[in-house]
Amino acid sequence: MSETLVAQLPVGAAEPDERAPTDWRTQSMQRRIRQRYAAERRFRLLGLAAVVLSAGFLAVLLVTMVYNGASGFVQTRIALPVDFARAGLVLDPARLRGPGADLALAAAGVEDATDNAAVAAFGKDGATLLSDGAWLSVRAAIKRDPAIMNGRSIVWVPASEAIDSAAKRADSPANEAIVAQLKARDALSTGFNWPFLTASDSNDSTRAGIWGAFKGSLFTMVVTLLIAFPVGVLSALYLEEYAPRNRWTDLIEVSINNLAAVPSIIFGLLGLAVFLGTMGLPRSAPIVGGLTLALMTMPVIVIAGRNAIKGVPPSIRDAALGIGASPVQVVFHHVLPLALPGILTGTIIGMARALGETAPLLMIGMRAFISAPPGRISDPSTVLPVQIFLWSDQIDRGFVEKTSAAIIVLLVFLLAMNGFAIYLRNKFETRW
């Protein structure tokens, strides 16, 4: 303190503390504290707004899909009276047993008998009220009970797309009037559309289903899992537990990280060149789709596996080695079981991503029209995302609702896989 300031102090007064804040310093500090609190409140509000916005977008997506796709799970059917005794069907009942029953019924004129019965029941335009595949329901009824061919019977058959649309929502006045007339005669009913879940693709929207694509997705995912999971886990174990730390290992790690970010269509080109062009595997088959998706999923499993293995405490390894376990026993008896929850979670998340992929499967030809579900992994098939893509290109109203309904099924499948991943993580997770 300067001599001038000391001279001005009264006798006995304490020397002022230079570290004590003056008035302007206190006000400045309070202002800064208020600014920090205000910034914290703004940050919390921004975070809450982001969560609300994300939840709003998700709600809009789900509501839109459910609104557009709910009608895809509903089917309109018409009660068709068929006089089989006068239909002129010439068929030996013995031919209704065995694999040739469908061909025998088709040759017997069931389709013409169905159209004639519709005209007799509903007028000259009666056949237009029925789906193009209505005669298949009549054929199925004959196969279930051949005795109906001796008399008159009522068979519930799917309605045409126009009648189905008018029964579910506002449509043209003419179609709504027809629907009202059918309801007045108790000849119209709506119920759950089981063929949507049990049938395959068709040119007729009233007969189209997702079972073929769903089965193709299952086969493809099985092939992907059987290849990507063991190779990815063993690669993660080697890189984390055995590989020496040198430039080659660093190069491999960088390559794996880069492969995880490569666009999926590149893997489709690789599958097209290697599996189809070089190895000659069958085109549009689940085995090719599974191999292609395994290449795409494997880097994700390796990264997730390495992170899970790193999370195992080193004391576990030291304790196992201290009681005489070999390095292999340490890895497979102690490290791998403890890292399994993280590995399984990353695997299922990678599989869920593969399930929703379309671009690589389009490159290997899995966009063909498949009217029968595959029986083996080498049979031609398609998958749910590709089936949705194909239906979305149709202009018929029936395919629009089927597209949204198929998206709902795919979302349920994805949510089930993610829920299974959460269950596995909670079941096998060890808290330290």
Side-chain angles (χ1 to χ4, degrees):
M1 183 177 294
S2 63
E3 297 179 356
T4 304
L5 181 58
V6 173
Q8 292 177 356
L9 290 173
V11 179
E15 185 175 324
D17 187 1
E18 293 183 355
R19 294 174 299 176
T22 58
D23 291 341
W24 69 268
R25 288 181 179 177
T26 302
Q27 294 174 358
S28 175
M29 184 62 68
Q30 292 177 352
R31 184 169 61 253
R32 292 178 181 176
I33 292 175
R34 288 194 298 269
Q35 291 176 351
R36 288 200 297 267
Y37 286 163
E40 182 179 357
R41 287 193 297 270
R42 288 194 300 270
F43 180 76
R44 294 175 60 182
L45 290 176
L46 287 175
L48 179 61
V51 173
V52 172
L53 185 62
S54 301
F57 281 131
L58 179 61
V60 170
L61 172 65
L62 294 178
V63 170
T64 302
M65 289 297 101
V66 171
Y67 177 78
N68 293 329
S71 58
F73 294 97
V74 178
Q75 185 181 45
T76 304
R77 303 180 72 85
I78 295 178
L80 178 65
V82 183
D83 191 351
F84 292 98
R86 298 183 178 181
L89 298 179
V90 181
L91 183 65
D92 184 4
R95 298 187 61 187
L96 297 178
R97 293 184 295 270
D102 292 343
L103 293 177
L105 286 169
V110 174
E111 185 172 2
D112 294 336
T114 303
D115 292 340
N116 295 333
V119 172
F122 308 116
K124 62 178 182 179
D125 295 329
T128 61
L129 305 181
L130 308 183
S131 166
D132 293 339
W135 70 277
L136 298 175
S137 298
V138 177
R139 185 183 69 179
I142 297 175
K143 290 175 63 177
R144 286 193 303 267
D145 184 12
I148 64 174
M149 296 184 62
N150 299 324
R152 178 184 175 90
S153 180
I154 295 180
V155 181
W156 288 90
V157 298
S160 65
E161 181 182 331
I163 301 302
D164 181 66
S165 178
K168 296 176 181 177
R169 65 188 68 85
D171 203 272
S172 64
N175 291 334
E176 292 181 358
I178 295 174
V179 169
Q181 294 175 6
L182 292 174
K183 288 182 177 179
R185 297 172 53 179
D186 291 331
L188 191 73
S189 69
T190 56
F192 189 79
N193 190 3
W194 288 109
F196 175 71
L197 300 180
T198 59
S200 297
D201 196 9
S202 174
N203 293 324
D204 183 6
S205 62
T206 61
R207 296 163 49 199
I210 63 169
W211 174 238
F214 188 82
K215 195 173 181 181
S217 294
L218 287 179
F219 284 171
T220 303
M221 289 298 101
V222 168
V223 174
T224 302
L225 181 63
L226 292 179
I227 295 174
F229 181 74
V231 175
V233 173
L234 292 177
S235 300
L237 285 174
Y238 175 78
L239 291 174
E240 199 60 34
E241 298 291 334
Y242 299 105
R245 301 303 179 208
N246 51 35
R247 289 181 299 177
W248 294 110
T249 306
D250 295 338
L251 178 62
I252 292 174
E253 293 179 359
V254 172
S255 301
I256 292 174
N257 293 330
N258 289 334
L259 283 175
V262 169
S264 59
I265 195 171
I266 304 300
F267 292 99
L269 293 172
L270 179 62
L272 177 63
V274 176
F275 302 131
L276 296 182
T278 302
M279 301 178 63
L281 294 177
R283 191 177 184 87
S284 186
I287 185 173
V288 180
L291 289 170
T292 303
L293 294 180
L295 296 177
M296 185 189 70
T297 308
M298 205 177 303
V300 179
I301 298 177
V302 173
I303 295 173
R306 294 193 63 189
N307 291 333
I309 294 170
K310 286 180 182 179
V312 177
S315 58
I316 300 295
R317 299 175 176 84
D318 297 338
L321 292 173
I323 61 175
S326 66
V328 175
Q329 290 176 329
V330 171
V331 170
F332 287 96
H333 294 178
H334 300 278
V335 176
L336 183 58
L338 294 175
L340 192 60
I343 295 175
L344 291 177
T345 301
T347 300
I348 294 179
I349 292 175
M351 294 291 294
R353 176 196 170 193
L355 177 63
E357 284 293 340
T358 303
L361 301 181
L362 292 177
M363 296 301 300
I364 62 172
M366 294 190 74
R367 58 165 297 166
F369 176 81
I370 307 297
S371 59
R376 300 175 300 176
I377 60 174
S378 58
D379 291 343
S381 67
T382 185
V383 292
L384 273 175
V386 177
Q387 187 69 78
I388 293 170
F389 169 76
L390 295 176
W391 282 350
S392 66
D393 199 34
Q394 302 291 332
I395 61 175
D396 296 341
R397 172 66 188 180
F399 281 110
V400 173
E401 64 182 20
K402 291 294 177 63
T403 301
S404 299
I407 291 175
I408 293 176
V409 174
L410 181 60
L411 289 177
V412 170
F413 199 173
L414 292 175
L415 290 176
M417 292 184 66
N418 289 321
F420 186 59
I422 295 173
Y423 167 77
L424 291 177
R425 184 184 62 196
N426 294 334
K427 181 177 177 61
F428 296 105
E429 186 176 15
T430 301
R431 301 186 183 274
W432 307 100

